[in-house]
Amino acid sequence: MKNRVRASICIIIPLLLTYTLNTKFGNVPPVLKFLNPFTGFWQNAESTTIKANRSIILKGTYQNVDIAFDDRMIPHIFAKNDHDVYYAQGYVTAMHRLWQMDFQTRFAAGRISEVVGKKAIELDKYQRRMGMVFGAERSLEGMMNDPKSKEMVLAYTAGINAYIHSLSKSQLPIEYKILDFKPEDWTPIKCALLLKQMSAVLAMGSDEFYMTNIRNKFGADVVKDLFPDYPFKEDPIIPVGTKWDFNPLPIPQVPSSVNEALTGTIKTKQKEEGIGSNNWAVSGSKTASGLPILANDPHLDLSLPSIWYQIQLHAPGLNAYGVSLPGAPGVIIGFNKDIAWGVTNVAADVLDFYQIRFKDDSHKNYWYNNQWKNTSTRLETIVIRNDKNIVDTVYYTHHGPVVYLQKVKDFSKAKNIPVGNALRWIAHDKSNELKTFYLLNRGKNYNDYRNALTYYTAPAQNFIFASAENDIAITANGKFPLKWRDQGKFILDGTDPKYDWQGWIPASQNPTVKNPARGFVSSANQSSTDKTYPYYINWEFSPYERGKRINDKLTAMNKATADSMINMQTDSYSIHAENILPTILAMVDKSKLNATQKEALRFVSTWDKYYDAKSVAASVFDFWTKRLMFDIWDDEFTVANIPMRYPSRDRTVQLILKEPNSKWIDNVNTPQKETLSDLVNEAFKYGCDSLERKYGSIGKPWEWANVKNTNIPHLAKIPGFGSKVLLTGGGKMTINALNEGNGPSWRMVVELGKMPKGHGVYPGGQSGNPGSPFYDNMIDKWASGKLYDLFFMQSATDASAKIISQLKISKK
């Protein structure tokens, strides 16, 4: 008997150990698989020695393809036809970024539960309920209806799958081993999903819930005063005074019931400052070369692997260099021999919520235009790892999905959504953004640029342009609904057809300017136009300070060079500090300050207003002004169970400079009447005390780089795979709009000429493998504000480029 027990133990323990070590528990990977020297993480360490010449056979190509990898591992693809250039782009992008592409599209599609189990169910439901897959299906339909876009998507997809099928278990990216799942075949819908996710990121939250509550509490006059449709200070993208050379369409009438909409008590995500970007182009009249220079630095949440993937695509009629989105074909921001282009976010109001009146709890019918209409349903099957699948039913009205029918607890994203409201979002409409980039990549002049933009729907972007023909231009571009003014500033009535979008602004009438007299065009997410533009795009845009600083610098600039532009991209001067610092400094009562506060006042009194990495004053000013904004507005605009938002920074500046005796200054929660001076002093002391509590004694620990704490995390927040803390300057309201984890995701400067010269960098590297020397090799260069020269190769053997590896693809 004892021998049987011993024998059983000898069998059972190894079996249990094998099961345990090969099973994923929570966030811990299956240890035996992970540590396996033949297939585990050891296999992901890449050699620093690069094989100079390789050749592979890929039967999906039509002809031979040559790919040259430069010293930063950037591929320069030379193909003989369109199919092969996008096939090769798919292959090499997957070679470097497969897990990133897979994870981002799973996230967009609401399929994370398949990988991590039931803890992601609510996230997956949210993505499905927001109509991400629905929108991607509509976009894919648009792509497939166009022969060129269809060829791009199918060839790119085939190239990705050729790489996936070549992988052994040992060659899988390390994240697959940590999370214990395998790549699946790529499908065309994934390309569309990636673009939908970018639309979601750049939708920038929604304020109509807050605004409806504010109107209900304070009335329309307060809304008009504190939340105006045009800011106190502005320097719009299209220069003031630009004439509109078109006959506008009639504007829809404002419904008489517009003030009657209500909203629930939901905490929502406000539009977030910092998710912004800069671009500008200077004409030859202001450059040393006599030809234009274009610059672009789109600001996004930073991550490793990098958001962008650098690439050059060369085929008959095509030679484009720039950055692509891993998972979508073509070059999104870049240049070719004749033109350069870039983008910033418009922040157009193309996402609205409509209150729906259902007939009963079955949600099969809703009241619209004085009759009951049928809803449609979409069944979303969510696959859950190690658990049963669930089917989530989403009801759709003609506006779009009714995202939530009841409150969801313990899931922050659900708090953004009003219960019982349908979502009308441009990202749900049929579209084909790929055609825009197909045409821009091959564009030769201004007319080609304007034609390419007509195919673009969302997310709306300020497309900047420069050409070797010495043209510059900018267009606030996208498919914009034709609305009455402020339609979507508040929650809309879903029962009345007058509240629906009433058509579209013609693409030719989108705000645009070509070769303005001032000699430059620029944008930094501020208002698209002055108040003379006849259409409504949105009532609020990003604050004006970055745009103002760019325009001031470019106005003063002459004989500009690429270095002028590169230096400008990391400019950290604060227009906000210029506007209010003298006023609030004069109010500080020095006699009531302690030693630390007096020292802080000394720093800020002599400050040059630059958010430099080593500036103590920048930290003091930042903490001080954030507290001052809180002191002015929080007592009125923070009320239990009535979610609201503060008035803008611009309106706060107006109050400080022009209305120091405003009723809003007094704290209604205290018996005494506070003055602006009282608030300025309280905020200064509070800011200094907060810095001291958090960072210790005033001095080096208070330097802005330490306080800002910029770092670049891994996309899935895997510890150890992110960057170190980067000691950089810049702040949200400076050109170098850099904060803890958001900033310039790609910096590019292009000098147009007989042969263009490009310069660029992003915070990361070409490879998505943390074990690769090309994973984060560009971060230090990016953090220092310098750019690499970009090798715009004219052939696969171009001697001007630093090539370290050649890959030849043949059909047989």
Side-chain angles (χ1 to χ4, degrees):
M1 185 66 181
K2 284 182 181 179
N3 289 339
R4 286 181 186 174
V5 171
R6 286 174 182 165
S8 298
I9 290 171
C10 288
I11 294 169
I12 290 168
I13 288 178
L15 285 173
L16 284 173
L17 193 60
T18 301
Y19 171 77
T20 301
L21 293 176
N22 279 286
T23 304
K24 185 176 184 294
F25 295 99
N27 294 324
V28 180
V31 178
L32 204 60
K33 289 182 185 177
F34 189 64
L35 297 179
N36 187 318
F38 303 106
T39 60
F41 83 99
W42 309 100
Q43 296 292 323
N44 296 99
E46 290 184 13
S47 172
T48 54
T49 304
I50 309 298
K51 193 172 181 180
N53 294 291
R54 292 186 298 141
S55 59
I56 55 174
I57 295 172
L58 295 175
K59 294 182 179 178
T61 55
Y62 294 170
Q63 295 171 279
N64 292 348
V65 181
D66 292 303
I67 306 175
F69 294 91
D70 67 28
D71 59 344
R72 294 186 299 282
M73 200 46 70
I74 295 159
H76 304 256
I77 297 172
F78 291 84
K80 296 180 175 67
N81 58 75
D82 278 2
H83 171 276
D84 286 354
V85 82
Y86 295 118
Y87 183 98
Q89 183 184 9
Y91 186 90
V92 297
T93 307
M95 183 169 74
H96 286 146
R97 302 289 189 88
L98 177 61
W99 178 82
Q100 176 189 14
M101 296 158 66
D102 188 343
F103 184 81
Q104 287 181 157
T105 51
R106 283 179 185 270
F107 177 88
R111 295 182 54 206
I112 297 297
S113 298
E114 295 178 23
V115 176
V116 303
K118 59 185 180 182
K119 65 184 178 183
I121 289 173
E122 288 303 333
L123 172 63
D124 287 349
K125 280 185 177 180
Y126 172 83
Q127 293 291 97
R128 309 283 186 98
R129 288 181 160 274
M130 287 291 287
M132 293 291 286
V133 181
F134 169 69
E137 290 168 355
R138 300 291 305 279
S139 280
L140 183 61
E141 187 183 337
M143 292 176 199
M144 291 308 201
N145 286 344
D146 179 85
K148 292 297 183 185
S149 302
K150 181 178 181 179
E151 182 178 38
M152 288 175 81
V153 169
L154 293 181
Y156 188 79
T157 295
I160 295 169
N161 286 330
Y163 179 72
I164 290 172
H165 297 160
S166 75
L167 290 175
S168 65
K169 187 182 289 187
S170 66
Q171 294 169 319
L172 290 179
I174 192 168
E175 291 92 345
Y176 285 108
K177 297 171 184 179
I178 291 172
L179 297 170
D180 191 29
F181 73 109
K182 296 177 182 177
E184 62 186 10
D185 276 9
W186 194 263
T187 55
I189 191 74
K190 289 175 179 274
C191 297
L193 277 163
L194 183 75
L195 297 172
K196 291 300 112 174
Q197 185 58 33
M198 191 58 75
S199 284
V201 168
L202 296 177
M204 297 179 75
S206 177
D207 279 357
E208 54 256 56
F209 323 132
Y210 292 103
M211 296 309 303
T212 304
N213 278 336
I214 290 166
R215 186 179 61 185
N216 292 345
K217 179 173 173 58
F218 295 107
D221 288 344
V222 166
V223 170
K224 190 175 180 180
D225 175 28
L226 297 186
F227 301 88
D229 287 349
Y230 200 78
F232 165 58
K233 287 181 176 288
E234 187 54 286
D235 199 336
I237 292 166
I238 307 302
V240 172
T242 298
K243 303 301 180 188
W244 309 112
D245 187 21
F246 55 79
N247 294 316
L249 299 178
I251 305 302
Q253 291 295 306
V254 180
S256 57
S257 60
V258 78
N259 290 319
E260 297 172 10
L262 301 173
T263 186
T265 54
I266 321 141
K267 190 70 176 174
T268 67
K269 179 186 176 185
Q270 290 192 55
K271 291 178 182 176
E272 183 180 340
E273 188 192 351
I275 301 182
S277 309
N278 308 309
N279 60 19
W280 60 84
V282 180
S283 79
S285 64
K286 294 180 76 72
T287 67
S289 68
L291 287 165
I293 303 175
L294 180 144
N296 191 193
D297 54 302
H299 298 173
L300 293 164
D301 286 337
L302 305 177
S303 66
L304 290 172
S306 291
I307 297 159
W308 302 102
Y309 182 74
Q310 279 188 69
I311 200 161
Q312 182 180 357
L313 304 176
H314 189 291
L318 168 69
N319 189 11
Y321 187 115
V323 287
S324 63
L325 287 167
V331 172
I332 304 296
I333 298 170
F335 63 96
N336 62 30
K337 181 177 177 293
D338 302 300
I339 70 171
W341 66 94
V343 295
T344 66
N345 197 31
V346 171
D349 187 7
V350 291
L351 183 157
D352 290 328
F353 280 103
Y354 286 82
Q355 287 188 310
I356 302 303
R357 178 182 158 198
F358 290 105
K359 187 175 185 180
D360 52 42
D361 289 344
S362 72
H363 304 111
K364 291 181 179 178
N365 310 98
Y366 67 104
W367 189 252
Y368 176 76
N369 200 17
N370 297 313
Q371 61 182 315
W372 293 109
K373 289 192 68 170
N374 294 333
T375 57
S376 60
T377 56
R378 185 179 171 98
L379 302 179
E380 299 285 1
T381 301
I382 298 174
V383 177
I384 305 165
R385 184 172 187 156
N386 299 325
D387 214 324
K388 292 180 180 177
N389 297 353
I390 62 172
V391 178
D392 192 28
T393 302
V394 185
Y395 293 91
Y396 279 69
T397 72
H398 72 284
H399 306 101
V402 181
V403 184
Y404 286 114
L405 291 166
Q406 56 192 26
K407 288 185 179 180
V408 178
K409 293 181 179 179
D410 304 322
F411 179 64
S412 60
K413 284 180 178 288
K415 295 175 183 176
N416 298 348
I417 309 299
V419 172
N421 281 240
L423 171 62
R424 177 69 179 102
W425 185 20
I426 192 68
H428 293 155
D429 289 18
K430 191 162 114 176
S431 65
N432 181 15
E433 285 76 20
L434 286 185
K435 186 65 176 288
T436 294
F437 298 109
Y438 178 90
L439 293 171
L440 281 175
N441 289 187
R442 292 163 173 75
K444 295 183 182 301
N445 51 44
Y446 173 80
N447 289 337
D448 289 348
Y449 153 78
R450 291 291 293 166
N451 178 52
L453 299 194
T454 62
Y455 294 91
Y456 191 88
T457 296
Q461 298 289 294
N462 297 301
F463 278 85
I464 203 156
F465 165 86
S467 77
E469 294 180 352
N470 225 332
D471 286 324
I472 59 171
I474 193 166
T475 305
N477 193 64
K479 192 175 182 183
F480 299 133
L482 185 62
K483 293 181 167 189
W484 32 270
R485 184 158 297 281
D486 288 345
Q487 184 178 354
K489 188 170 183 175
F490 310 98
I491 283 183
L492 298 168
D493 182 354
T495 70
D496 188 343
K498 291 178 182 175
Y499 285 80
D500 288 1
W501 294 356
Q502 304 293 321
W504 307 98
I505 298 173
S508 62
Q509 297 181 12
N510 285 347
T512 189
V513 67
K514 177 188 179 186
N515 297 331
R518 66 186 185 181
F520 66 87
V521 289
S522 71
S523 73
N525 314 109
Q526 75 271 40
S527 297
S528 301
T529 69
D530 63 16
K531 290 186 277 190
T532 64
Y533 182 66
Y535 298 115
Y536 173 76
I537 294 177
N538 206 345
W539 69 275
E540 186 178 48
F541 297 84
S542 289
Y544 92 114
E545 291 97 348
R546 280 187 293 122
K548 168 68 172 166
R549 177 64 173 169
I550 289 168
N551 291 347
D552 287 351
K553 296 271 290 181
L554 294 178
T555 297
M557 195 175 287
N558 282 300
K559 298 194 179 303
T561 65
D563 286 342
S564 312
M565 306 292 104
I566 292 167
N567 291 335
M568 201 168 129
Q569 286 181 329
T570 53
D571 180 86
S572 65
Y573 182 79
S574 172
I575 292 282
H576 183 51
E578 179 184 296
N579 284 338
I580 70 164
L581 187 57
T583 300
I584 60 176
L585 266 177
M587 295 183 185
V588 177
D589 185 347
K590 300 174 187 175
S591 68
K592 295 181 179 177
L593 303 182
N594 64 28
T596 296
Q597 293 159 2
K598 286 178 180 176
E599 181 69 356
L601 184 65
R602 185 183 68 80
F603 273 110
V604 83
S605 297
T606 57
W607 183 35
D608 60 5
K609 304 179 186 65
Y610 282 84
Y611 272 73
D612 289 336
K614 294 185 177 181
S615 174
V616 170
S619 302
V620 174
F621 179 77
D622 199 71
F623 271 61
W624 182 10
T625 51
K626 282 178 181 173
R627 178 65 180 185
L628 180 57
M629 192 157 183
F630 172 91
D631 284 348
I632 292 171
W633 302 117
D634 192 71
D635 55 317
E636 283 97 355
F637 289 89
T638 299
V639 179
N641 299 319
I642 307 178
M644 294 185 291
R645 53 159 281 193
Y646 296 168
S648 68
R649 182 166 73 235
D650 174 80
R651 187 64 184 87
T652 308
V653 169
Q654 184 180 19
L655 190 110
I656 291 168
L657 298 182
K658 301 292 186 182
E659 306 165 37
N661 299 315
S662 167
K663 69 172 186 176
W664 301 105
I665 298 294
D666 178 47
N667 187 336
V668 297
N669 298 323
T670 65
Q672 67 271 24
K673 183 176 181 179
E674 285 81 10
T675 65
L676 181 57
S677 179
D678 292 334
L679 269 52
V680 165
N681 279 276
E682 190 282 337
F684 183 77
K685 293 172 186 175
Y686 183 94
C688 293
D689 293 350
S690 297
L691 281 163
E692 193 167 33
R693 280 195 304 273
K694 191 167 184 180
Y695 300 101
S697 299
I698 189 168
K700 191 171 181 62
W702 286 33
E703 289 179 356
W704 177 238
N706 295 325
V707 171
K708 181 159 60 76
N709 194 42
T710 296
N711 66 93
I712 305 171
H714 182 261
L715 182 61
K717 304 296 189 286
I718 294 175
F721 287 1
S723 79
K724 62 190 176 186
V725 172
L726 303 170
L727 299 178
T728 59
K732 284 185 179 182
M733 58 193 82
T734 72
I735 295 178
N736 189 22
L738 183 60
N739 58 34
E740 182 177 358
N742 184 286
S745 58
W746 162 242
R747 291 196 187 107
M748 180 185 78
V749 171
V750 180
E751 304 170 81
L752 279 301
K754 188 173 181 181
M755 187 59 66
K757 294 178 183 176
H759 317 270
V761 71
Y762 52 58
Q766 285 292 96
S767 176
N769 177 15
S772 166
F774 299 102
Y775 178 67
D776 59 1
N777 58 305
M778 299 188 213
I779 285 182
D780 288 341
K781 186 96 164 182
W782 173 86
S784 72
K786 295 180 171 61
L787 275 59
Y788 292 101
D789 291 337
L790 307 178
F791 302 125
F792 185 53
M793 297 175 64
Q794 301 306 297
S795 71
T797 56
D798 191 330
S800 66
K802 297 176 183 176
I803 301 305
I804 60 173
S805 179
Q806 296 270 4
L807 173 63
K808 183 176 285 291
I809 299 174
S810 58
K811 190 174 179 68
K812 58 182 179 179

